[in-house]
Amino acid sequence: MAAEISENLLIRNGEEGAEKKSSISHRIWIESKKIWIVAAPAMFCRFTTFGTGVISQAFIGHVGSKELAAFALVFTVFVRFAQGILLGMANGLETLCGQAYGAQQYHMLGVYLQRSWIVSIIASTVILPFFILTAPILKALGQDAEIADMAGSMAAWMIPVVYSFILAYTCQMYLQAQSKNMIIAYLAAASLALHVFLSWLLTMRLEFGVAGAMVSTVVAFWLPNIGQLAFVACGGCPQTWRGFSMLAFKDLWPIFKLSLSAGAMLCLEVWYYPVIILLTGNMTNAEVAIDALSICLNINGWELMISLGFMSAASVRISNELGAGNSKAAKFSIATIVITSFTIGLVLFVVFLVFRRRVAYLFTDSDEVAASVEHMAPLLAFSILLNSVQPALSGVAIGSGWQGTVAWVNLTTYYIIGLPIGIVLLYFLNWGVEGVWIGMMIGVLIQSLVLVLITYRTSWEKQVEVAHGRVNRWLVNDEQN
């Protein structure tokens, strides 16, 4: 089997040599097509997944401002807490599936997928108490008692959503590694359309209020999972899915360690946003501050979905090329992805500065909240620009298997540098929400610079050897599967 992998690597290296003879414009065109095959469906899927929460928030915001603040706390703090863990752990699967697919060890993808399910189910069950005890946790952190009680009721509705993330993220990583994520986009589109209709029907037409929005949210998160499972199990991936296997219970510890480091990497980044919300909840006139900040985070999140699409593309392209032994192709892909993502971010930076106040009214009827959003617009615009680069570099790290290293980078830049600066600006210099946001921007900027330095100084020939070793170490013979 090792000989077969070596032969594949020689073939791919020969292909790499042929690519050198192509013109640079032709290479960019070919690479861009490969990137967008993954990035476009991934962006759309991210948009619709993120949009599910935004649509729920928009309907709840028209029920009442306190309900909006409660939902913002639950979704931004607790749901994203769970998302950070489960999406991060699924990124470990993305590394394994991408490199195995690049090395043409197709049968291993189904085994990795099932192992990741087991690890993710355990993780979801461990974090379940946070959703059961949401109200007392928020009160202990100094949040308004009425808003905390509302948030506790909403959190109970979110428990099925947490378990939906297991299938959603693992199947996405499994399908993306094979560039078969168009099915994800189709299912996401159908789910989003249904969510809009159900939210209107249950919340506005039948006047079920918050309960109606919560029912629609649960349905919207679970519907794509059923479709993805049906696609995988019913012949959509004949090379990589051989049915359920007892091998899923073998060698779980290495999967757990990689998933844990991947989860830590993303969690340390994602959790920074809930920390900002919690700090804002202790301010004077917290209701307006939380509403304004949650709207800004949602706007920032919409742009981030584009960058996360490039993160997926970077992860797939880098892991595939490393698994195939193409170090130069991996480096060329990195440059193409980062430049493309930054260019799009620059365009959105300008567009948001022009239309910032109009966007706020999509989320609220309050002039006070809209004015607060407009005041924060320059900071938000620069965040959009920074976020156009950082996720693409994180995708490079995921594709290369650097999750443990980047976890330490995130811990340092966000929590040792960015967060303390934000707290000082908020509490000691009385800069309000803007102070917290500036601290976040400083953390993102330093993180991006460090990732650029790590990527630039990396020996990609050495990374090919590391990927080759990883594929061999966890390989199971096709006959055993």
Side-chain angles (χ1 to χ4, degrees):
M1 192 62 68
E4 182 182 341
I5 294 176
S6 299
E7 184 179 347
N8 291 333
L9 297 183
L10 289 174
I11 293 172
R12 296 300 183 91
N13 281 324
E15 293 174 357
E16 183 179 298
E19 285 182 3
K20 287 190 214 174
K21 300 177 182 178
S22 303
S23 66
I24 187 67
S25 59
H26 179 70
R27 290 183 64 197
I28 292 174
W29 171 248
I30 296 299
E31 182 60 35
S32 295
K33 287 197 296 183
K34 293 178 181 179
I35 290 169
W36 282 104
I37 286 173
V38 178
M43 286 177 194
F44 185 77
C45 181
R46 300 281 188 185
F47 271 122
T48 53
T49 302
F50 186 79
T52 298
V54 173
I55 289 168
S56 299
Q57 182 168 346
F59 279 98
I60 290 173
H62 290 287
V63 173
S65 59
K66 287 189 181 295
E67 287 82 358
L68 175 61
F71 183 83
L73 282 171
V74 172
F75 206 83
T76 308
V77 177
F78 291 91
V79 174
R80 287 188 180 173
F81 168 79
Q83 279 183 308
I85 292 175
L86 297 172
L87 178 57
M89 295 184 79
N91 282 337
L93 174 66
E94 194 168 16
T95 303
L96 296 174
C97 285
Q99 293 185 358
Y101 192 80
Q104 299 183 6
Q105 300 306 312
Y106 303 126
H107 65 284
M108 286 303 301
L109 273 72
V111 175
Y112 290 146
L113 175 63
Q114 293 170 62
R115 290 174 181 172
S116 187
W117 284 344
I118 295 170
V119 172
S120 297
I121 288 171
I122 294 171
S124 298
T125 305
V126 169
I127 64 178
L128 195 60
F130 288 96
F131 288 83
I132 298 173
L133 302 173
T134 295
I137 289 173
L138 290 176
K139 290 177 183 177
L141 293 172
Q143 302 300 310
D144 178 83
E146 186 177 355
I147 293 177
D149 287 332
M150 287 183 183
S153 299
M154 292 180 185
W157 284 99
M158 289 297 174
I159 292 174
V161 172
V162 171
Y163 280 96
S164 76
F165 293 150
I166 297 171
L167 293 175
Y169 296 140
T170 54
C171 287
Q172 284 175 23
M173 302 309 173
Y174 166 79
L175 292 169
Q176 278 178 180
Q178 309 167 64
S179 298
K180 289 188 175 183
N181 51 344
M182 279 305 298
I183 183 63
I184 303 173
Y186 294 142
L187 291 168
S191 176
L192 188 68
L194 180 62
H195 183 42
V196 172
F197 172 73
L198 280 180
S199 295
W200 169 81
L201 177 65
L202 299 176
T203 306
M204 311 300 290
R205 181 72 175 180
L206 300 180
E207 298 183 352
F208 287 152
V210 172
M214 292 295 99
V215 169
S216 181
T217 301
V218 172
V219 171
F221 275 106
W222 267 101
L223 183 62
N225 293 339
I226 297 171
Q228 287 180 58
L229 276 177
F231 177 79
V232 172
C234 297
C237 303
Q239 281 186 307
T240 60
W241 179 259
R242 309 290 178 83
F244 293 98
S245 172
M246 291 302 294
L247 291 172
F249 296 93
K250 181 181 178 182
D251 294 331
L252 282 177
W253 180 241
I255 301 291
F256 178 79
K257 288 194 295 183
L258 181 61
S259 297
L260 190 62
S261 61
M265 169 190 159
L266 195 64
C267 289
L268 289 169
E269 182 176 332
V270 172
W271 289 350
Y272 191 79
Y273 295 94
V275 170
I276 292 176
I277 288 286
L278 290 173
L279 289 173
T280 306
N282 293 314
M283 293 174 55
T284 305
N285 197 12
E287 187 177 320
V288 172
I290 291 177
D291 287 352
L293 186 57
S294 65
I295 289 171
C296 287
L297 289 176
N298 271 315
I299 295 170
N300 187 56
W302 279 111
E303 186 277 334
L304 191 58
M305 295 306 104
I306 297 175
S307 298
L308 288 177
F310 284 113
M311 183 178 80
S312 297
S315 174
V316 171
R317 291 292 303 125
I318 303 309
S319 61
N320 283 174
E321 296 296 350
L322 291 179
N326 298 337
S327 60
K328 294 186 184 302
K331 288 190 286 186
F332 188 78
S333 181
I334 291 169
T336 306
I337 290 170
V338 171
I339 292 172
T340 304
S341 183
F342 177 77
T343 302
I344 294 175
L346 186 62
V347 172
L348 293 175
F349 166 83
V350 175
V351 170
F352 175 72
L353 284 178
V354 175
F355 297 103
R356 57 186 181 270
R357 189 173 182 89
R358 296 181 185 179
V359 173
Y361 283 109
L362 295 175
F363 302 91
T364 183
D365 295 326
S366 170
D367 292 332
E368 187 178 5
V369 173
S372 181
V373 171
E374 184 177 21
H375 182 68
M376 295 174 63
L379 290 176
L380 181 56
F382 280 106
S383 293
I384 288 173
L385 193 59
L386 284 174
N387 284 337
S388 66
V389 175
Q390 180 270 329
L393 294 173
S394 293
V396 174
I398 294 168
S400 305
W402 301 340
Q403 288 92 336
T405 300
V406 179
W408 285 107
V409 172
N410 290 349
L411 175 64
T412 302
T413 56
Y414 282 105
Y415 295 90
I416 298 178
I417 298 175
L419 183 60
I421 291 174
I423 290 174
V424 169
L425 295 177
L426 171 63
Y427 290 114
F428 296 96
L429 299 183
N430 297 317
W431 284 22
V433 178
E434 291 86 350
V436 182
W437 198 284
I438 288 172
M440 179 188 72
M441 287 179 58
I442 292 173
V444 174
L445 176 61
I446 297 175
Q447 180 210 29
S448 299
L449 292 175
V450 172
L451 291 179
V452 168
L453 182 62
I454 291 173
T455 303
Y456 177 75
R457 298 184 62 180
T458 293
S459 169
W460 291 99
E461 290 76 13
K462 179 66 175 177
Q463 289 303 308
V464 166
E465 296 177 10
V466 172
H468 187 191
R470 182 181 290 116
V471 171
N472 277 333
R473 187 168 63 250
W474 291 346
L475 184 64
V476 176
N477 290 335
D478 200 1
E479 293 79 9
Q480 291 180 258
N481 189 26

